[in-house]
Amino acid sequence: MIKVGTYNELKIVKEVDFGLYLDGGYDFGEILLPKRYITDEMRIGQSVSVFLYYDSEDRLIATTQHAKAVAGEFASLKVVDTNRAGAFLDWGLPKDLLVPFNQQKVAMKTGYGYLVYVYQDDISERLLASSKLDRFLDKVPATYKVGEKVDLIIADRTDIGFKAIINHKHWGVIFESDVFGDLGIGKKCKGYIRRIREDGKIDLGLTQTGYAKVEGLSDRILLSLRQNDGFLPLSDKSSPEQIAKILKMSKGNFKKAIGQLYKQGHIVIAANGITITK
C-alpha cells in the first residue's frame, strides 16, 4: 500500500522532459519524480525508493531526498518561518512542514527547535506537524517486557528525571538516578524497559539491569583502563559528573561495576583512582 509522508518502492512507467512518472496505482495514478532527482541508473520498469509529499500547489510529488521525519513518527525540527497560517519547520524537503496554530503547545518562534509529531490530516490530506504530543501517544496497549531494548526520544525534563517517547508509541520516564551524560530534548537513544506499573506508566533505564548490565559496564571500564595505560583517576569518591564524562555511566553503576572487578581481582582501588592488575 502506498503511503504519503514516508518512503515507497515505486516502478518507473514513463519518461518526460521534466522527469519520470512513477506508478501510484489506482489511488494515486502517475506520480512525478522531478528531473533534478533522476540518476543515470534509472530506467523504465525499474523500481526506486522515493519519499512522497505534497508540493506548494498540493500536487503529490516524489523525491529521493532524505526527509528528517516521516508521517507517524516524532522528531525535533527547527522553525524557519512563521505567518498567519502557523509555523514552518525545516524537514529536509523543498516545501517546509506546517504546524498550524491549533497544533502548537506553545507559540513557536523562528530559529528554535521543537519536538513534533508528523501526520497526514484526515480531512485535507495535507502533511502537518503537531507539538501537542499527548494526543498521539498511549493510544494502543503497551506489550513490552521488562528488560526489552527500545528506541527512545527524550521529550521533556521533569522534577524526577526525563520523559521519553518509546518506539514512537508510548510515554515513559527515566529517573534522575539512571541518567548519565547529556540528555537534550529531541535526542534519540536506546533504552530498556525497567517496569510497567499497574496504572500503565512505564519506567525506563538507559542500561540493562542485573548481572548483564554490570558485566557490560565492567567490560567498558576494563577497555578504558587498557586505553589509558591501566589507570583511571576515578573512585567511589568521584563526582557523578566526572564519571559520566569519562565513562558515560552513572555513579551508582560505576560503583557496582568496580566492586565486581575488584572481587574478581581485575583492578586495585585507591583514593586517587583505579588501576588494572597485571
Side-chain angles (χ1 to χ4, degrees):
M1 181 182 294
I2 295 174
K3 293 184 178 180
V4 179
T6 188
Y7 299 93
N8 298 262
E9 288 285 336
L10 302 181
K11 184 178 292 187
I12 301 170
V13 293
K14 185 192 300 182
E15 183 176 2
V16 292
D17 292 340
F18 45 86
L20 296 173
Y21 277 108
L22 311 177
D23 184 9
Y26 178 80
D27 292 329
F28 298 100
E30 294 180 345
I31 302 171
L32 177 64
L33 176 66
K35 188 173 183 178
R36 61 182 177 274
Y37 304 127
I38 297 175
T39 64
D40 294 336
E41 294 77 20
M42 294 180 181
R43 296 286 186 272
I44 292 176
Q46 290 182 333
S47 292
V48 292
S49 178
V50 292
F51 186 90
L52 299 181
Y53 73 104
Y54 290 100
D55 67 8
S56 56
E57 298 181 17
D58 288 332
R59 297 173 302 186
L60 187 60
I61 294 292
T63 177
T64 54
Q65 284 184 283
H66 178 73
K68 296 179 181 179
V70 302
E73 294 187 351
F74 299 83
S76 180
L77 302 174
K78 182 179 289 187
V79 176
V80 293
D81 193 16
T82 60
N83 62 23
R84 286 183 289 182
F88 293 86
L89 307 176
D90 172 19
W91 66 325
L93 300 179
K95 182 186 177 183
D96 298 323
L97 184 63
L98 173 65
V99 186
F101 282 114
N102 65 359
Q103 293 300 321
Q104 298 179 28
K105 185 176 181 180
V106 297
M108 293 182 166
K109 298 179 180 180
T110 301
Y112 288 82
Y114 298 89
L115 189 61
V116 298
Y117 180 81
V118 181
Y119 68 101
Q120 187 176 19
D121 183 68
D122 292 333
I123 299 175
S124 68
E125 296 188 345
R126 297 175 67 189
L127 291 168
L128 302 172
S130 173
S131 61
K132 295 182 177 181
L133 308 184
D134 286 333
R135 60 176 291 211
F136 303 103
L137 290 163
D138 296 327
K139 299 303 181 184
V140 295
T143 57
Y144 308 110
K145 296 179 181 179
V146 173
E148 182 178 344
K149 191 175 184 178
V150 292
D151 293 317
L152 302 179
I153 301 176
I154 307 304
D156 196 13
R157 187 77 161 86
T158 71
D159 293 337
I160 59 174
F162 289 86
K163 290 179 68 176
I165 297 169
I166 308 167
N167 289 351
H168 296 277
K169 293 180 179 179
H170 301 95
W171 279 121
V173 175
I174 307 170
F175 289 98
E176 188 72 49
S177 58
D178 284 325
V179 174
F180 56 88
D182 179 32
L183 289 183
I185 305 304
K187 180 176 181 179
K188 296 181 179 181
C189 59
K190 299 293 183 181
Y192 298 87
I193 303 296
R194 286 283 173 84
R195 180 171 63 155
I196 300 178
R197 305 188 185 195
E198 292 182 1
D199 61 3
K201 293 182 179 179
I202 303 173
D203 295 346
L204 301 164
L206 297 176
T207 57
Q208 291 175 301
T209 57
Y211 183 78
K213 177 190 72 174
V214 176
E215 279 291 293
L217 297 177
S218 298
D219 289 341
R220 188 190 305 174
I221 292 172
L222 286 175
L223 177 61
S224 185
L225 281 165
R226 295 187 183 105
Q227 292 173 339
N228 290 275
D229 298 323
F231 176 78
L232 289 174
L234 299 173
S235 69
D236 56 6
K237 302 298 183 183
S238 299
S239 68
E241 293 76 17
Q242 187 180 11
I243 294 170
K245 182 179 180 180
I246 296 176
L247 291 173
K248 301 296 187 292
M249 66 179 68
S250 68
K251 182 171 181 176
N253 288 335
F254 171 74
K255 291 174 68 174
K256 291 176 185 177
I258 64 171
Q260 182 190 63
L261 290 172
Y262 177 76
K263 291 178 181 178
Q264 294 172 343
H266 293 308
I267 64 170
V268 175
I269 301 176
N272 65 334
I274 56 176
T275 305
I276 196 169
T277 57
K278 301 296 183 183

